[in-house]
Amino acid sequence: MAKTGKSFTTTQIIAFGFFGAILIGSLLLSLPVCSASAKPTPFIDALFTATTSVCVTGLVVVQTFSHWSTVGQAVILCLIQIGGLGIISFTTAFLMLLGRRITLHDRLILEDALNMNTLSGLVRFLRKVFKYTFFIELFGMLGYSLIFIPKYGTVKGLWTSLFLSISAFCNAGMDIMGTDSLACYLANPWINFVTISLIILGGIGFIVWMDITHLIRQIAREHLPFRRAVRQLRLHTKIVLITTGVLIFAGTFLILILEYHNPDTLGGLSFPKKL
C-alpha cells in the first residue's frame, strides 16, 4: 500500500475523507435553516441522514420531502453526489479548479480511490468521469422535467427532476416525491425508462463507460466489425455487462412470474404495464 505521508496510507486518507464529509454534513443538517420547521434537527438524525447520503444506502429516519427545507435537501443532494463519485475524486477536482498541480501523492490516492492499476492518464480520466456524470445527470433531469414541470411548475419541477436524477444515477434510493415515492408512476413508461437508465449507467461504473465509449469510437472511426471491436473490451467490462444483463433480465422474469397474479402488486395491471 502506497504511503502518502508519514503515518497515513491512501486507504486511511480515503476513510478519513468519508468521515469528514459525514461530519460536516451532519453539522449542516442539524442547523435550523435545513429543517422545514426552522427548528434544529437532533444531531443523531442529522448524522444518520448524512451517513446514508454519502454512503448512498437509501435508508432514512425522517421523510426527505417533508422534514428538510430546500437548503437541507440541497445539502443531502451534495452529499449524495460526493458519495456517488467519491470523496477523493471531488477533492482532486477541487484542487484542479484551484490550479494546483496534482502531485505523485495525490495520484496514488486517486489510483486507489478509482480502483485503477496505473497512474497513467488518471487526471484525464477524472475529467472524463465528471464530464460524463454531469452530462448524464443533466439529460436525466431534462427527461424528468417533461413530466414534473407540467405537474409542479417550473421551479419545483426542475428541482424535483434534478434531485431524482442525481439520486437515481448515484443509486441513492432517496427522493422528494412524497410518501409513495414513484409508486404513482408505475405504469408510466417514460419515468421508468429514465430512472432505469440512470440507475444502470451509475451502477456499471466509470471504467465500463470509458471502455464502451472507446468501442463506439472504434466502430465509427475505424469501421471495425462489431464482433472484433467487442473482443477488445476489457475483461472487467465484459464481466460487468454480462452480470448486469443476467441479473436484470433474470430478476425481471422471476418477479413477473412470482407476482403476476398478486393483487397487491402486478395482479391488477395489463401485461404491458406488468412488464
Side-chain angles (χ1 to χ4, degrees), residues 171 195-201 203-204 240-256 275:
N171 285 227
T195 306
I196 289 169
S197 300
L198 288 169
I199 292 173
I200 293 176
L201 288 172
I204 60 178
V240 169
L241 293 178
I242 292 172
T243 305
T244 300
V246 169
L247 290 173
I248 289 175
F249 287 105
T252 300
F253 176 76
L254 287 173
I255 292 173
L256 180 65
L275 287 179

Side-chain angles (χ1 to χ4, degrees), residues 36-83:
S37 64
K39 297 179 181 178
T41 297
F43 185 76
I44 187 64
D45 293 339
L47 176 62
F48 190 101
T49 303
T51 303
T52 195
S53 299
V54 172
C55 299
V56 290
T57 67
L59 300 172
V60 295
V61 289
V62 294
Q63 293 286 356
T64 308
F65 77 97
S66 61
H67 178 83
W68 305 106
S69 65
T70 302
V71 175
Q73 292 172 0
V75 171
I76 291 172
L77 198 60
C78 289
L79 294 174
I80 289 173
Q81 187 75 90
I82 290 172

Side-chain angles (χ1 to χ4, degrees), residues 251-262 265-266:
T252 300
F253 176 76
L254 287 173
I255 292 173
L256 180 65
I257 295 300
L258 295 174
E259 300 292 329
Y260 196 91
H261 297 293
N262 186 345
T265 55
L266 305 181

Side-chain angles (χ1 to χ4, degrees), residues 149-210:
I149 287 181
K151 181 174 181 178
Y152 298 119
T154 303
V155 176
K156 184 178 179 181
L158 285 175
W159 175 240
T160 303
S161 300
L162 175 63
F163 193 102
L164 195 58
S165 179
I166 294 176
S167 179
F169 179 77
C170 294
N171 285 227
M174 300 170 70
D175 64 73
I176 53 175
M177 301 296 298
T179 54
D180 293 331
S181 188
L182 293 176
C184 61
Y185 296 100
L186 83 165
N188 185 306
W190 182 247
I191 292 293
N192 277 270
F193 170 75
V194 173
T195 306
I196 289 169
S197 300
L198 288 169
I199 292 173
I200 293 176
L201 288 172
I204 60 178
F206 309 132
I207 295 176
V208 177
W209 295 356
M210 305 307 173

Side-chain angles (χ1 to χ4, degrees), residues 102-163:
I102 306 302
T103 65
L104 177 60
H105 288 163
D106 297 328
R107 293 173 188 269
L108 288 170
I109 299 172
L110 189 60
E111 179 192 13
D112 274 4
L114 295 175
N115 291 318
M116 298 184 71
N117 55 10
T118 177
L119 294 177
S120 176
L122 272 177
V123 174
R124 184 171 64 253
F125 178 79
L126 183 61
R127 289 196 184 101
K128 289 182 179 180
V129 166
F130 275 81
K131 181 177 73 173
Y132 281 112
T133 294
F134 293 128
F135 181 77
I136 292 170
E137 289 175 346
L138 174 63
F139 271 83
M141 183 188 75
L142 294 176
Y144 283 130
S145 67
L146 297 177
I147 303 297
F148 295 144
I149 287 181
K151 181 174 181 178
Y152 298 119
T154 303
V155 176
K156 184 178 179 181
L158 285 175
W159 175 240
T160 303
S161 300
L162 175 63
F163 193 102

